[in-house]
Amino acid sequence: WNDFTHFLDDPVHGDQEAQNEIRLTLGGGASYLISNRVLGFDTDFLAGLDGRYDDNHVFRNFTKARQFLGVAESDRVNESSAGAYLQATTHWTSWLRSVLGVREDYFTATDAGTNPGNAAQDLFQPKASLVFTLSPKTEIYLSAGRGFHSDDVRGVTQAASQGITGAPLLAHSTGEEIGVREEFLPNLSATLTLFQITFQSELTYDPDAGQTSAGSPSRREGIELNVTWQALDWLEFYGSFASSHARYTQENDDGTGHIGRYIPAAPTAIGNFAAYVKHMGPWGAGVEYRYLGSYPLTPDNAVRASGYGEW
């Protein structure tokens, strides 16, 4: 049960609603690895297949004091996906190796409920990395490739039923990064990464509706640091920090008169620090602090949230 808008939509009964989901998921995967010499270089070939099927019943009901008033939305979604990939890792020298890969994904979905319709899409994804091992303790890598996030099929079928171009079923992304891994001590290591990634469509959370929706294209550039310190055999510390410059690639209107390129709810900085107690027989423990910096609430950055930290 939730009540995002209070009395905005129904001034008599209020806007409380009940959400429920019944999901059956079946899936699996298989891969095969073989090593050989190609043109005199050691090469590892990896091939694989994976698939998944979801039978998903999602519905929302209007309620008051958790008593049923009416059906807001009821969707019965069947979604299937299949993927195939090939990867070749070639060791050119003792200090240089490359990783080349391709992947093909296919998604199909049907909705027999409030937002009826069909959607299907395939996506080809090339990926590549170069890894330089400067010493047993230092490694530099460059990576680039295409990936995706899947959007809510209800948004795709709803737009299609209205004859408009809506969210893609698979919103592709293209990213590049350069990083360095360093083992300062046998028990102390760190990874530093510079990255940029472009999304075909940005997922935006609408707090009044309590759901995400597909929006305009976006781009992120940033830096990420991860540090692991095994202080004792039973005590490990881990910390991470990331900062990114996130913007829409075009002016975006949130429908309330705020127009700009800032991405709502995209923080400038996030981080966490954790301590883990382990290897103590059946016992283990941990404590973690999470930090989320300030972030815009409107595309023009006129309204901001202060962020928060929590243990």
Side-chain angles (χ1 to χ4, degrees):
W1 283 270
N2 51 55
D3 191 346
F4 296 108
T5 51
H6 303 289
F7 286 87
L8 181 65
D9 299 323
D10 187 342
V12 177
H13 301 102
D15 300 337
Q16 186 189 79
E17 62 182 27
Q19 294 185 2
N20 199 14
E21 175 178 344
I22 303 170
R23 179 192 295 261
L24 170 67
T25 301
L26 300 172
S31 62
Y32 182 71
L33 174 67
I34 187 173
S35 300
N36 209 334
R37 289 185 67 83
V38 178
L39 301 177
F41 299 100
D42 292 332
T43 303
D44 302 320
F45 293 98
L46 177 67
L49 299 169
D50 56 56
R52 173 170 162 167
Y53 169 76
D54 287 81
D55 181 358
N56 198 11
H57 185 198
V58 183
F59 52 92
R60 296 187 299 119
N61 294 329
F62 295 119
T63 61
K64 179 180 181 180
R66 298 194 174 184
Q67 299 301 309
F68 176 80
L69 296 179
V71 176
E73 193 172 33
S74 178
D75 290 282
R76 186 65 178 263
V77 176
N78 292 307
E79 184 170 286
S80 301
S81 66
Y85 56 89
L86 295 171
Q87 177 180 289
T89 302
T90 303
H91 301 266
W92 301 98
T93 68
S94 60
W95 53 270
L96 173 63
R97 70 181 186 272
S98 64
V99 184
L100 299 176
V102 292
R103 181 180 174 95
E104 180 78 14
D105 278 282
Y106 176 75
F107 275 61
T108 179
T110 61
D111 187 353
T114 307
N115 303 284
N118 304 293
Q121 185 179 343
D122 63 278
L123 184 64
F124 177 71
Q125 303 155 77
K127 306 170 188 288
S129 296
L130 281 177
V131 184
F132 303 87
T133 305
L134 304 184
S135 74
K137 297 183 177 181
T138 306
E139 196 169 70
I140 295 177
Y141 66 92
L142 300 95
S143 298
R146 175 182 289 179
F148 69 89
H149 67 251
S150 57
D151 284 331
D152 192 327
V153 65
R154 295 172 294 180
V156 181
T157 57
Q158 187 179 53
S161 66
Q162 298 171 359
I164 61 177
T165 302
L169 186 59
L170 304 180
H172 66 73
S173 62
T174 302
E176 304 86 28
E177 67 180 47
I178 179 172
V180 56
R181 303 185 187 98
E182 180 71 29
E183 185 179 310
F184 298 99
L185 298 169
N187 61 346
L188 177 62
S189 61
T191 302
L192 180 65
T193 304
L194 299 174
F195 65 88
Q196 63 179 17
I197 185 168
T198 302
F199 292 97
Q200 179 189 10
S201 174
E202 178 76 26
L203 281 177
T204 303
Y205 180 71
D206 182 355
D208 285 336
Q211 64 187 32
T212 58
S213 59
S216 302
S218 65
R219 183 179 181 86
R220 281 172 170 77
E221 300 161 344
I223 185 171
E224 182 175 344
L225 174 66
N226 294 275
V227 179
T228 301
W229 179 32
Q230 188 71 44
L232 300 168
D233 180 62
W234 53 271
L235 179 62
E236 177 183 311
F237 294 100
Y238 172 78
S240 69
F241 175 81
S243 178
S244 69
H245 179 270
R247 297 290 187 272
Y248 290 116
T249 58
Q250 60 194 37
E251 294 289 307
N252 194 67
D253 188 347
D254 67 354
T256 63
H258 296 276
I259 302 174
R261 295 197 175 189
Y262 285 83
I263 300 174
T268 302
I270 59 174
N272 76 310
F273 172 77
Y276 302 108
V277 175
K278 53 187 182 179
H279 301 156
M280 301 187 71
W283 298 98
V287 62
E288 180 174 1
Y289 177 76
R290 297 176 179 174
Y291 166 77
L292 188 144
S294 63
Y295 52 91
L297 294 174
T298 56
D300 59 359
N301 199 34
V303 185
R304 294 185 62 87
S306 59
Y308 65 91
E310 64 178 1
W311 287 97

